[in-house]
Amino acid sequence: MPVHLQGPWNELFGRLGLLLIPHYNNPVIFFAFMLVTVGGTAVLTTLTILGRWGWLWRDWLTTVDHKKIGIMYVLIGLVMLFRGFFDALMIRSQQALAVGPNSPGVLGALHGYLPPFHLDQVWTAHGMIMILLAVTPILIGMMNLIVPLQIGARDMAYPYLNALGLWLTAVSAALVMIALFVGDFSHAGWVGLAPLTELAYSPGVGVDYWIWSIQIGSIGTTLGSINIIATIIKMRAPGMKWFRLPIFTWTSMATSIIGLTSFPVLGVALSLLTFDRYLGTHFFTAGLGGDLMMYTNLFWIWGHPEVYFVVLPAFGFLSEIIPTFSRKPLFGYTTMVLASFSIAGVSWLVWLHHFFTMGASPKVLAFYSITTMLVGIPTGVKVFNWVFTMYRGRIRMEVPMLWAVTSVFLLIIGGMTGMMLSIPAINYIVHNSVFVVAHFHNMFMVITYAAFGAIVFWWPKVFGFKLDERLGRMFFWLFSTGTALVFLPMYTLGLMGMTRRLDYISHPSWWPLLLIELCGIGFYLVSVFVFLGMIYVSYRDRASNAVTADDAWGTSRSLEWLTHTPVPFYNFAVTPIVHALDEVVWRREQGTLDRQPERYTDIHMPNNTGMPIIISGFTLICGFSMVWRIYWLALVSFIAIIALVLIRSFTKNPGYVITAEAIGELERTSRPHRQTEEIENPVSMGTGGGSMPNHGAPAARHPDY
């Protein structure tokens, strides 16, 4: 039986009656509501005026193309990144204003402008959004974009499942955005501090929004992990042996294994919490047999592998960017692979360092302290390999390389502070201080820098033109200045004893450092506008920034740079045959980089389908209904989801075929320069048409060129 609820509830509308009780009215929320309303109306109006609804449905909303799905993942991540950034802006400005007993308060706050009720929700939303709805979608999107191209595949192993994972992620983001205006959000921190998340301490709907948003998004992430693993195992091009996989593909494999095995643990933890809140069980209460530390253990069994779930793809980005702009092969390829899987393995043995202070025995503390330190070994191997890759290289400090080198520098700082926190004695001293906050933001900055570098690096491959170099450098320097001004004072404040999640600062001596942090946020804010300006200017000048060669940077190494720029919807005209780890370098040396195959064969492609977005639409209704406990609507939408899944399972989708003649025509249109070369100097490319047969091809990596 459902538990007894505080406040209004009826069978037809559930708890929506709570909305009629004016409990909190803040102009900040009204401003955000108006911003979203005006922005959304502008987008919808533009689509209607331009008559682009059909195009949007056919080409994007129903697509199963891994590249478009990857772009939409990144877009969701960037939108939520900006939402999370504005949460950070409110946090930093509140703490800079609410210092000292005489600091004034406005908008209903005793100090500053955010009452504790609102600020606690901002803390929760900021942490959850940045980790699960900003960084994670961006990285999954990049894996979607790049992995199939790097292994010579036409698409992901399960295109339909891929689209479903995307739209479930979108539902997760939508629920968080709805919570901004309809009801409220959790005030129990992004980790869901037990027993604060129990119904007795959080009787509103905020924690329910948090639960259902994460639960639905986790299903999408798990589906994405299954797809990446299956794609890498089963869809590799001929000749793409395991140790010819690019490092980014290896890190995607390792991170997907983490995702597949860790997200179900989070699902179990949240399901048990759901039972507590909806059915009155006591899994995580302090009485009746419950154990709140069990929740903490389950959460961090997922939580710390999640750190490496997002870090490993970033390491993959660095391993692709640094060799390209150093004009050298990656140093220590095999050790990089081993280091990636070592990090993935050790990630399961360190979760308890998040709560050393719970009072475990010295042996337990020593075990988790040592395993945490062990992470530094494979991570150090990676850092040394990147440095040796750059050593004596002909380095070009273009924008992707600026992001990559700074990311390595931040990794060294984050690694050293991580080693400090792995020692229980130090951890006891700085526990719950902003030193810890600065450390994990430091590590997420490693990911952010690598991700921005990757976006600039692969942008030409996806869109066919480069991003504006001048604005790209301006964006980098503004963002980096913001990083230094925010996090160096935060480390210092942590060592001075400032604890986290404060709505009011009682220690006036911290004020100067808080003001410096606010200045850093100002630089971040300006960098956001420069980033948007860079996108606009690059698109406006796309003709002059267009890339005519397949290899946008001239020194790229892996297989994705072999096909067109931008990549056609069929990826490769013929399935490439791989001869070396750095296939593009090998073909460049053999003089076969620009040669066309002698003939083409038919290509089979999957059909688009609207089923994933329709299923996700019902999932959104189901999640919203469960948040507000409109049980009949939740049941109806859940039955609709099951019915649609069954219908899809029994529906034959034969796909469609692009004939060899059509492929040939498309290739001649898009690569006229290659056609000329083939006519003047015809060379057999093998019956598969994918590459030049060469029995003397190197079996492993090729030396520098």
Side-chain angles (χ1 to χ4, degrees):
M1 290 293 293
V3 297
H4 175 73
L5 298 167
Q6 299 179 32
W9 178 85
N10 63 65
E11 293 183 354
L12 187 59
F13 296 109
R15 306 185 78 191
L16 284 174
L18 287 173
L19 296 175
L20 301 177
I21 302 175
H23 61 285
Y24 181 61
N25 184 20
N26 190 296
V28 176
I29 295 179
F30 179 75
F31 173 75
F33 177 74
M34 292 304 298
L35 196 65
V36 171
T37 302
V38 172
T41 304
V43 171
L44 297 178
T45 304
T46 304
L47 287 170
T48 304
I49 293 173
L50 297 177
R52 302 293 279 177
W53 284 104
W55 162 80
L56 185 66
W57 176 260
R58 287 190 307 272
D59 289 1
W60 289 92
L61 300 183
T62 61
T63 187
V64 293
D65 184 339
H66 73 97
K67 299 178 290 297
K68 291 181 177 177
I69 288 174
I71 290 170
M72 287 190 282
Y73 261 120
V74 174
L75 195 58
I76 291 172
L78 288 176
V79 169
M80 298 309 290
L81 182 70
F82 292 138
R83 159 72 200 278
F85 167 72
F86 282 107
D87 287 335
L89 179 63
M90 288 193 287
I91 292 168
R92 294 271 66 84
S93 54
Q94 166 71 18
Q95 290 196 329
L97 292 173
V99 179
N102 298 320
S103 60
V106 295
L107 305 179
L110 186 61
H111 301 278
Y113 66 99
L114 293 173
F117 175 76
H118 188 190
L119 186 61
D120 284 347
Q121 295 178 50
V122 174
W123 292 112
T124 304
H126 171 72
M128 178 200 161
I129 287 172
M130 285 303 200
I131 295 171
L132 291 172
L133 294 174
V135 171
T136 299
I138 288 174
L139 297 176
I140 293 178
M142 294 304 294
M143 288 191 279
N144 255 284
L145 273 169
I146 304 304
V147 167
L149 296 174
Q150 284 198 331
I151 63 173
R154 299 214 181 281
D155 208 317
M156 302 290 279
Y158 308 113
Y160 160 76
L161 209 61
N162 200 24
L164 185 60
L166 165 74
W167 291 114
L168 289 177
T169 303
V171 169
S172 175
L175 278 176
V176 175
M177 295 304 291
I178 290 172
L180 188 59
F181 312 120
V182 184
D184 48 36
F185 200 60
S186 172
H187 63 139
W190 81 270
V191 299
L193 295 167
L196 195 55
T197 47
E198 294 289 337
L199 196 62
Y201 308 103
S202 301
V205 296
V207 172
D208 300 319
Y209 268 120
W210 174 80
I211 288 175
W212 289 102
S213 174
I214 294 180
Q215 201 67 293
I216 293 171
S218 297
I219 297 172
T221 305
T222 305
L223 295 180
S225 297
I226 294 171
N227 221 344
I228 291 285
I229 294 171
T231 302
I232 295 173
I233 292 176
K234 301 298 292 184
M235 305 286 284
R236 285 173 289 141
M240 179 66 82
K241 302 175 182 177
W242 282 108
F243 280 90
R244 287 179 182 170
L245 286 176
I247 284 292
F248 177 65
T249 300
W250 272 119
T251 56
S252 299
M253 182 76 167
T255 205
S256 298
I257 291 172
I258 294 174
L260 179 61
T261 51
S262 67
F263 273 91
V265 179
L266 178 64
V268 169
L270 293 181
S271 296
L272 297 179
L273 180 59
T274 304
F275 294 155
D276 277 7
R277 288 183 61 84
Y278 284 73
L279 301 177
T281 57
H282 293 273
F283 287 104
F284 303 134
T285 62
L288 297 175
D291 183 356
L292 56 90
M293 282 310 298
M294 183 168 70
Y295 171 81
T296 306
N297 274 284
L298 286 173
F299 183 87
W300 286 111
I301 285 175
W302 161 81
H304 203 82
E306 161 68 11
V307 173
Y308 300 106
F309 177 85
V310 291
V311 160
L312 283 172
F315 289 172
F317 295 153
L318 302 180
S319 299
E320 300 291 342
I321 295 171
I322 290 174
T324 297
F325 292 96
S326 298
R327 306 189 193 192
K328 283 180 62 183
L330 182 66
F331 183 88
Y333 169 83
T334 304
T335 57
M336 289 294 256
V337 175
L338 295 175
S340 299
F341 282 85
S342 299
I343 292 171
V346 176
S347 72
W348 284 95
L349 303 174
V350 299
W351 80 86
L352 193 133
H353 73 219
H354 289 276
F355 43 97
F356 272 145
T357 55
M358 76 172 182
S361 72
K363 291 181 180 178
V364 172
L365 297 184
F367 175 81
Y368 285 98
S369 174
I370 292 169
T371 54
T372 302
M373 291 179 185
L374 287 178
V375 178
I377 296 175
T379 308
V381 168
K382 283 182 174 289
V383 171
F384 279 114
N385 284 351
W386 291 322
V387 171
F388 281 119
T389 302
M390 289 185 278
Y391 176 64
R392 302 188 70 177
R394 288 171 288 166
I395 297 175
R396 300 182 348 242
M397 292 304 290
E398 297 190 36
V399 175
M401 191 64 168
L402 286 173
W403 289 107
V405 171
T406 311
S407 179
V408 175
F409 176 71
L410 290 171
L411 176 61
I412 294 170
I413 298 175
M416 288 190 294
T417 53
M419 285 298 109
M420 292 171 62
L421 292 171
S422 70
I423 302 170
I426 296 178
N427 202 299
Y428 264 72
I429 295 172
V430 297
H431 177 76
N432 207 34
S433 74
V434 293
F435 184 87
V436 179
V437 178
H439 164 71
F440 71 71
H441 276 82
N442 189 155
M443 293 308 295
F444 272 88
M445 279 297 153
V446 172
I447 301 163
T448 304
Y449 273 72
F452 278 131
I455 289 173
V456 180
F457 181 60
W458 278 299
W459 181 280
K461 178 51 65 179
V462 177
F463 295 104
F465 59 92
K466 287 186 177 180
L467 290 171
D468 186 86
E469 176 81 9
R470 183 179 63 84
L471 289 173
R473 289 180 181 276
M474 188 182 298
F475 172 51
F476 167 80
W477 287 112
L478 285 169
F479 194 91
S480 299
T481 304
T483 300
L485 292 180
V486 170
F487 296 110
L488 289 178
M490 192 179 290
Y491 271 125
T492 308
L493 284 168
L495 293 174
M496 292 169 69
M498 179 175 167
T499 54
R500 61 199 300 187
R501 301 193 183 103
L502 294 178
D503 70 295
Y504 161 66
I505 310 299
S506 60
H507 212 309
S509 65
W510 296 341
W511 195 30
L513 291 173
L514 291 169
L515 285 179
I516 294 174
E517 287 188 26
L518 186 61
C519 291
I521 284 289
F523 275 94
Y524 275 143
L525 182 62
V526 176
S527 76
V528 169
F529 289 106
V530 173
F531 175 81
L532 296 175
M534 176 182 69
I535 301 294
Y536 168 73
V537 170
S538 303
Y539 179 76
R540 185 195 65 189
D541 301 337
R542 60 189 181 282
S544 58
N545 293 329
V547 175
T548 55
D550 297 336
D551 179 4
W553 306 103
T555 52
S556 303
R557 312 183 71 84
S558 47
L559 199 59
E560 74 271 23
W561 302 101
L562 191 62
T563 188
H564 300 252
T565 297
V567 182
F569 63 96
Y570 46 82
N571 285 2
F572 296 91
V574 292
T575 301
I577 297 174
V578 180
H579 307 82
L581 170 61
D582 294 329
E583 180 67 16
V584 169
V585 176
W586 183 86
R587 293 196 183 209
R588 191 180 292 133
E589 289 185 344
Q590 299 297 315
T592 61
L593 194 60
D594 292 328
R595 290 178 184 167
Q596 288 279 53
E598 61 185 10
R599 66 182 179 85
Y600 300 96
T601 56
D602 294 348
I603 295 177
H604 178 259
M605 298 291 291
N607 282 324
N608 286 358
T609 171
M611 195 63 85
I613 192 171
I614 295 172
I615 291 175
S616 300
F618 280 106
T619 306
L620 178 62
I621 296 172
C622 185
F624 183 82
S625 304
M626 287 303 294
V627 168
W628 291 94
R629 305 190 189 223
I630 312 172
Y631 295 119
W632 67 269
L633 185 57
L635 180 63
V636 169
S637 51
F638 182 72
I639 291 173
I641 293 168
I642 298 299
L644 289 170
V645 170
L646 291 175
I647 291 171
R648 173 62 177 77
S649 301
F650 289 99
T651 301
K652 292 185 177 178
N653 187 351
Y656 66 98
V657 172
I658 314 170
T659 63
E661 292 74 18
I663 294 293
E665 183 60 29
L666 288 168
E667 289 291 301
R668 281 188 289 274
T669 303
S670 58
R671 289 177 159 176
H673 62 291
R674 290 193 170 191
Q675 184 182 22
T676 303
E677 183 176 345
E678 181 191 13
I679 292 172
E680 291 175 352
N681 185 23
V683 176
S684 171
M685 301 300 288
T687 54
S691 67
M692 185 176 182
N694 188 331
H695 301 296
R701 66 177 306 101
H702 197 273
D704 190 15
Y705 59 94

